[in-house]
Amino acid sequence: MPSLLFARLLRNHDRPHSKVDRFKHLILGMCLSFLAQPLAAQVTVDYAPGAQPPIKLHRLAQPIQLDGLVDEPAWRAVDPFPLVMYQPTYQGAMTERTEIRVAYDDDYLYVSGKLYHVVSENLRANSFYRDRWSGDETFAIVLDTFNDNENALWFYTTPLGTRFDIAVADDAANGRDSNNYNWNTFWDVATTRTNEGWFAEIRIPFSSLGFQDEDGRVEMGMIVYRWMGHNNHRYIFPDIPPRWERGSNKPSVAQDVILEGVYSRKPVYVTPYGLGGVQRKSELSPSKTDYRFNDDFTREIGLDVKYNLTNNLTLDATVNTDFAQVEADDQQINLTRFSLFFPEKRQFFQERSGIFEFDTGASGSRLFHSRRIGLVDGQPIPILGGSRLVGRMGEWDIGLLNMQTAKEGDVPTENFGVLRLRRRVFNAFSTIGGLATSRIDVDGGYNLAYGLDGVVRVIGDEYFTAKWAQTLDKNQLDAGTFSFLDAGRFMLKWERRIIQGFSYELEVVRSGADYNPSVGFVRRRDVFVLSPDVNYQTFRGADSRFRRIWVGNWSNIYLRNEDGSVESAWLHPFYWFETKGGATLLLSTAHTYEDVRMSFPLSAGVMVPVGSYWFHDLWVEANPPDRWFFRPDVTFRTGTFYDGWKTTLSSGATWNLSRHLELRGTYELNLIRFSDRDQQLDTHLGQIRIQAALNTHFSATAFLQYNSVADEFFVNTRIRYHFGEGNDLWLVFNEGFNTERHQSFGPTLPVTDSRAILLKYTHTFIW
């Protein structure tokens, strides 16, 4: 029904109505689609974030030995926190005895867990591999170290002592997208296991946290929890109701805690590296009759320095930066006419990266994206050096970045600069700020950008966001074509940030034709975007097999600025179910409208012609509980696609053969048929990730990918020996193969397109 109403409105968009009339019709269509979704009343828990009075953490009078036994007299003097069940049934009956304690001394924050099991065989301990969660039981602490209700550092471990550290941004409002899984810092953990369960001790240096103190008094937010894989139980402190997405790591609902007699420590971390190896790439010979290999022998040294200027301001400097050990990007197949987004994985850019976030709405566009630095079309550009300053000065969050890249081929040497400022206003959950970027090359070319943003918590869970960004490009200014509005982009959003009961979001974006942040990411320009979403979620009681049922509708409309005509539109009504055990099922239909004014290729021989298209598909997605040792998942979509049909099958499986070996395989198949014009396209994207770990020190990963559209097979293998925090030896092997060697023109491609073997050693000195 929603798609039919929408279709009737869009079918008439070329009629001689005014632009205002078209907007009215489109908005009316969205409202009607919302009314088609079932809603029901539900009582919600009255809970005000941050309302609980702060509590004082215990200061240790005796030493703690980090051995995972939790048997020192010092621990017995600390009271455990009163835990409640967070999931699967909020405030349900807890079945496993759990004691979590937090204490501190002059230099460290300590966290201990006595994590008992009635049946010891229920304990899940699947992998030694760091930062690769595999359904293991976990024990965690989340710290909002600046108590800004926006950012947090999340540490957790497993019965094997495997470490995970994540930086949380934007108050976890965007689910997984708010989490930076590539962030790492210095900390230690020890665990032991017995027939009674498992026991853990975490030790985090204050120098790894960053905080503000007033004469030795520190106030920060804290959440601690235990999650068990065998029954999907999560026990948590403080008592947080599940009315927010990922509330168990949401900074604004953390318990405020007080530490006294804690002062800043300013260690200096100096990390030199040495790199050696050979890289081979195939190149077309001058005669253009065959391919030859060009070998490049690499011998490099570089240096990273980290210094805490104050207890809440950190300076990172780098010279001759190299990222040889970074995992390869996941391959993607693009079946649209717009750019693909790839996340940042390089460690230097991870420290408090949430400060630099400046999302400009509409499919993930942003004013700053660090992958623009040192990468061109996915290929690395040498970085001569740079510096990065992040933290807080008084009431202001500050981020400052400056990097210099070297000349590489036709790409000139360039300087990149970023400045971010932000502070709280009105209340503890509202901020205003700004961000500026610059990209200047040696030939005098430049691109400058600035943005202003504000996020205001109006009342309760109601938030209003306003952002404005603008770019200043040398070519436009020299040509005299600069237009204030055309070179700008604004975003307005009103949202209700809860997942329990009725929630909604309305986002409006206008992007000018000349808006071009060359240190950012933009998927579409010269458009006006309207994105209304509506959701209703209900949490079931203890007697139900379901934990949560979610019904909603996601949608957006892209209008061309030039004439107000519809470029694209998307309606996605859905039902989503989550069982008490953690399995999920999505049932949905997607209704898409595309007005194509210029044909574009899906592959070398398949085009989408000019025309206006409505297409519809059925969408089913199923995921198993995390506790399964073999975890298959599947997504199936089928329906019309432009003037043809498309069926997509995306499946994967994770298999923990033992705690030392995990296999993860994914496969995506697209079958596309345009029978009226006798064209078809079959795409295949396969990935296999093999993760092996002898223990928490020695590990290896092999990442194999096949992309049928690129006709390439990629291998990325990394072997790591971790001597201690900051001291690592890496052996990296990369190779790309041509799977379709015979071309319609030119010589036969070689079997191997590129190959690299590199050895890298880093060693951190601490003063």
Side-chain angles (χ1 to χ4, degrees), residues 523-539:
R523 186 166 273 120
R524 302 196 201 196
R525 298 183 182 89
D526 200 20
V527 292
F528 182 91
V529 188
L530 183 65
S531 300
D533 297 337
V534 65
N535 301 275
Y536 184 79
Q537 299 188 56
T538 176
F539 287 84

Side-chain angles (χ1 to χ4, degrees), residues 282-576:
S282 64
E283 296 179 350
L284 189 63
S285 66
S287 64
K288 298 184 179 180
T289 58
D290 62 345
Y291 282 86
R292 299 176 182 177
F293 287 103
N294 180 26
D295 291 338
D296 180 17
F297 293 92
T298 301
R299 291 179 296 275
E300 294 183 6
I301 59 173
L303 181 70
D304 293 336
V305 177
K306 180 189 290 289
Y307 176 55
N308 292 335
L309 298 176
T310 68
N311 59 339
N312 54 4
L313 201 58
T314 302
L315 174 68
D316 291 275
T318 180
V319 178
N320 198 26
T321 316
D322 182 86
F323 303 105
Q325 77 277 19
V326 176
E327 183 182 64
D329 287 324
D330 287 30
Q331 287 286 306
Q332 301 180 48
I333 291 178
N334 193 354
L335 297 177
T336 74
R337 48 194 160 134
F338 308 106
S339 301
L340 295 174
F341 178 81
F342 292 89
E344 178 63 87
K345 293 186 177 183
R346 298 171 295 178
Q347 187 59 39
F348 180 81
F349 298 101
Q350 305 302 332
E351 179 74 21
R352 286 188 66 82
S353 60
I355 289 179
F356 294 95
E357 286 290 331
F358 199 104
D359 176 22
T360 54
S363 303
S365 296
R366 55 199 65 195
L367 186 58
F368 170 63
H369 185 33
S370 58
R371 279 182 65 99
R372 297 295 190 190
I373 304 173
L375 287 171
V376 175
D377 295 329
Q379 299 302 311
I381 303 295
I383 295 178
L384 299 177
S387 59
R388 191 170 183 272
L389 183 70
V390 293
R392 175 171 286 189
M393 296 180 63
E395 295 296 321
W396 289 91
D397 290 325
I398 181 171
L400 180 64
L401 176 68
N402 190 271
M403 304 292 287
Q404 185 74 36
T405 61
K407 176 179 173 58
E408 182 77 3
D410 296 332
V411 180
T413 178
E414 295 180 291
N415 180 268
F416 297 81
V418 185
L419 172 63
R420 176 62 154 144
L421 297 172
R422 184 177 61 195
R423 65 165 296 164
R424 283 190 287 187
V425 293
F426 306 133
N427 54 57
F429 309 95
S430 303
T431 62
I432 60 169
L435 184 141
T437 70
S438 64
R439 183 173 185 171
I440 305 171
D441 64 48
V442 70
D443 300 324
Y446 62 82
N447 180 280
L448 309 176
Y450 74 91
L452 303 172
D453 65 333
V455 180
V456 178
R457 182 186 177 198
V458 181
I459 186 172
D461 295 301
E462 306 290 329
Y463 284 78
F464 174 70
T465 301
K467 298 187 181 185
W468 164 259
Q470 189 172 68
T471 61
L472 305 164
D473 191 273
K474 181 180 185 299
N475 295 331
Q476 293 174 5
L477 295 174
D478 289 349
T481 59
F482 175 80
S483 167
F484 184 85
L485 188 60
D486 285 346
R489 182 181 178 106
F490 71 77
M491 185 264 275
L492 302 174
K493 180 166 65 174
W494 188 287
E495 60 185 320
R496 191 180 192 192
R497 291 186 179 179
I498 60 171
I499 63 171
Q500 186 180 36
F502 179 65
S503 64
Y504 45 80
E505 176 182 306
L506 176 62
E507 180 180 279
V508 177
V509 175
R510 187 195 187 275
S511 184
D514 298 328
Y515 175 75
N516 179 32
S518 64
V519 198
F521 175 80
V522 181
R523 186 166 273 120
R524 302 196 201 196
R525 298 183 182 89
D526 200 20
V527 292
F528 182 91
V529 188
L530 183 65
S531 300
D533 297 337
V534 65
N535 301 275
Y536 184 79
Q537 299 188 56
T538 176
F539 287 84
R540 300 301 189 180
D543 296 333
S544 174
R545 68 174 60 186
F546 294 106
R547 174 179 181 251
R548 178 165 46 140
I549 296 178
W550 179 7
V551 59
N553 186 87
W554 300 328
S555 50
N556 53 50
I557 308 173
Y558 291 82
L559 303 172
R560 296 183 178 93
N561 288 334
E562 57 182 342
D563 59 6
S565 62
V566 179
E567 180 181 82
S568 302
W570 189 58
L571 285 169
H572 183 193
F574 64 89
Y575 288 86
W576 186 86

Side-chain angles (χ1 to χ4, degrees), residues 579 581-584 622-628 630-634 652 654 664:
T579 69
T584 62
N623 293 279
D626 292 322
R627 68 177 183 271
W628 289 8
F630 180 76
R631 301 183 294 280
D633 55 78
V634 62
T654 302
R664 169 67 182 171

